[in-house]
Amino acid sequence: MSRVPFRRMLVSLALLLLLAAAAFMMRGLLDQDLDRHRSEAFDFSNGDTRRAGRLWLPAGEETDKAPVAAVVLVHGDGPQDRTSDNGYAPLINSLLDAGIAVASWDKPGIGASSGDWLAQSMQERADETAAALAALRARFPGVATGALGFSQAGWVLPKLRAPQADFLVLAGPAISWIDQARYFRITSHVRDGMDRGTAERAADAQALRDKVDFGPQADEDAIRRTGLTPARHAFVRRNLHADATQDLRGLDIPLLAIWGTEDMNVDAKGDSEIYRTVLAGRADTQVVLVPNATHGLLKADVYNAQLVSEWSTARILRFLVEGRRAYAPSALDTITGFIQAHSRARADHR
């Protein structure tokens, strides 16, 4: 083989690799773009406060074509806006590609929503979600309507009852607020280099201090000891004894509960077993553990951390490039498949 053809072959191969890399990056970056979809304002009232959000519509041959299903996103903890600082974008795009309309709103006091998210109880968050579902059902009469919630939403969505929703999806839910805090602390201590036994003893000692610092007699000194702002302290104190067990026992809405096996925030194995036990015999319930997945169902070997704020710049860039491929295999398909199945089930019963 002469040198010239060989060089041409190398150049051609290099160009193909560059094109493949560019296509990979473009696909991931498109997953970060929500503006390319049709959307409209999603505003609703909750008591005397107003929620402001956005409703994204799946593509269709006709602009007025009804979606397969419609879902509201229910945030986890923290001051989150409607897209969770665009972190929801790959998930929303995945749902839209499956024909599912998606609505989300700014938490109270965030973005354009009035109120104060730190003043909410879990029951008040459930009432807020019910109001959002009613608004979504009015927008899409006859379409299966449900909620997809994350983490803290595990104490919110189980409070709903039929006919408020046709289906529920929970990603990374915990059973007990207190037990979840203990698990989080143990994991954090182990990551910092403690052995498991020492980490458990430290977490138990902190739990005893919490009984005082968040108890009925908690004062300004107690707030200072926790290191929290007064508003955050009040929020934790208000919700500290949240436990989903009783609400799950009364649940009459089809449910998918899904965890990543490498969850650093929630005891995925233990809490999923409680779900299986409490909801045993329910044909309309799925309890799923996704292998090698994080609290947010992303690929654990790349993205595992207790807080997104711990991500390096390189990890953030990789998430932007990977888009929906940042999720663990099967995670998104399991969610969209469940929603589509219950959409068909609702249609069959009409």
Side-chain angles (χ1 to χ4, degrees):
M1 178 182 293
S2 67
R3 289 185 178 180
V4 173
F6 182 68
R7 287 174 182 170
R8 288 177 179 169
M9 183 177 70
L10 288 179
V11 170
S12 298
L13 180 59
L15 287 172
L16 286 173
L17 290 174
L18 285 172
L19 287 171
F24 181 89
M25 292 179 64
M26 183 58 67
R27 181 179 172 190
L29 292 173
L30 282 174
D31 280 341
Q32 310 297 342
D33 180 15
L34 294 174
D35 291 338
R36 61 194 175 92
H37 296 286
R38 290 186 301 121
S39 67
E40 60 192 51
F42 184 72
D43 300 343
F44 61 95
S45 296
N46 182 48
D48 58 357
T49 59
R50 192 77 183 154
R51 301 292 179 267
R54 202 75 192 161
L55 170 64
W56 292 274
L57 304 169
E61 294 180 2
E62 304 170 16
T63 57
D64 59 350
K65 183 179 179 181
V68 170
V71 64
V72 297
L73 303 185
V74 181
H75 301 298
D77 195 13
Q80 299 190 62
D81 65 14
R82 64 194 69 182
T83 66
S84 193
D85 199 23
N86 215 51
Y88 290 158
L91 168 66
I92 293 174
N93 272 305
S94 180
L95 292 166
L96 292 172
D97 286 350
I100 301 164
V102 184
S104 185
W105 62 94
D106 304 328
K107 273 193 171 185
I110 305 301
S113 289
S114 63
D116 181 0
W117 69 272
L118 283 170
Q120 289 185 306
S121 68
M122 295 301 104
Q123 182 59 60
E124 287 167 334
R125 290 203 65 197
D127 295 341
E128 173 187 59
T129 303
L133 284 163
L136 193 63
R137 192 181 298 276
R139 174 63 178 81
F140 298 115
V143 172
T145 306
L148 166 54
F150 313 96
S151 193
Q152 192 181 94
W155 297 299
V156 177
L157 298 191
K159 295 182 180 296
L160 299 177
R161 295 292 179 265
Q164 291 174 312
D166 296 308
F167 59 85
L168 302 174
V169 179
L170 281 170
I175 291 291
S176 160
W177 186 296
I178 291 173
D179 290 346
Q180 187 270 333
R182 179 179 184 272
Y183 181 87
F184 186 97
R185 286 168 176 155
I186 291 170
T187 303
S188 181
H189 290 324
V190 170
R191 292 177 67 206
D192 289 340
M194 278 189 192
D195 64 83
R196 181 80 184 186
T198 303
E200 290 178 351
R201 289 190 292 274
D204 290 339
Q206 183 61 56
L208 290 175
R209 291 191 291 271
D210 285 349
K211 287 185 178 181
V212 176
D213 291 343
F214 294 100
Q217 306 304 317
D219 54 16
E220 291 183 3
D221 288 337
I223 296 174
R224 279 194 292 271
R225 283 195 298 272
T226 65
L228 303 176
T229 65
R232 179 67 183 183
H233 180 274
F235 177 77
V236 174
R237 186 177 176 184
R238 184 179 300 113
N239 295 294
L240 185 62
H241 297 288
D243 189 299
T245 307
Q246 197 60 37
D247 290 328
L248 287 171
R249 288 195 178 111
L251 190 65
D252 57 357
I253 302 171
L255 170 68
L256 165 65
I258 183 169
W259 294 259
T261 58
E262 307 308 309
D263 195 323
M264 291 184 178
N265 296 30
V266 169
D267 182 2
K269 181 178 179 181
D271 286 344
S272 65
E273 283 303 315
I274 295 174
Y275 266 73
R276 292 183 197 279
T277 300
V278 172
L279 300 172
R282 287 269 304 267
D284 57 358
T285 297
Q286 291 184 36
V287 177
V288 177
L289 284 169
V290 180
N292 302 313
T294 71
H295 182 58
L297 303 178
L298 303 176
K299 295 181 292 191
D301 58 338
V302 179
Y303 298 102
N304 217 0
Q306 289 186 304
L307 301 171
V308 174
S309 59
E310 298 173 7
W311 283 13
S312 65
T313 301
R315 191 177 294 185
I316 294 170
L317 290 173
R318 179 163 177 172
F319 177 78
L320 292 175
V321 170
E322 286 200 310
R324 72 185 70 183
R325 287 169 300 213
Y327 283 84
S330 81
L332 294 179
D333 287 343
T334 299
I335 291 171
T336 56
F338 178 85
I339 294 172
Q340 289 170 331
H342 285 280
S343 171
R344 290 191 293 271
R346 188 181 191 279
D348 291 342
H349 282 89
R350 284 204 301 266

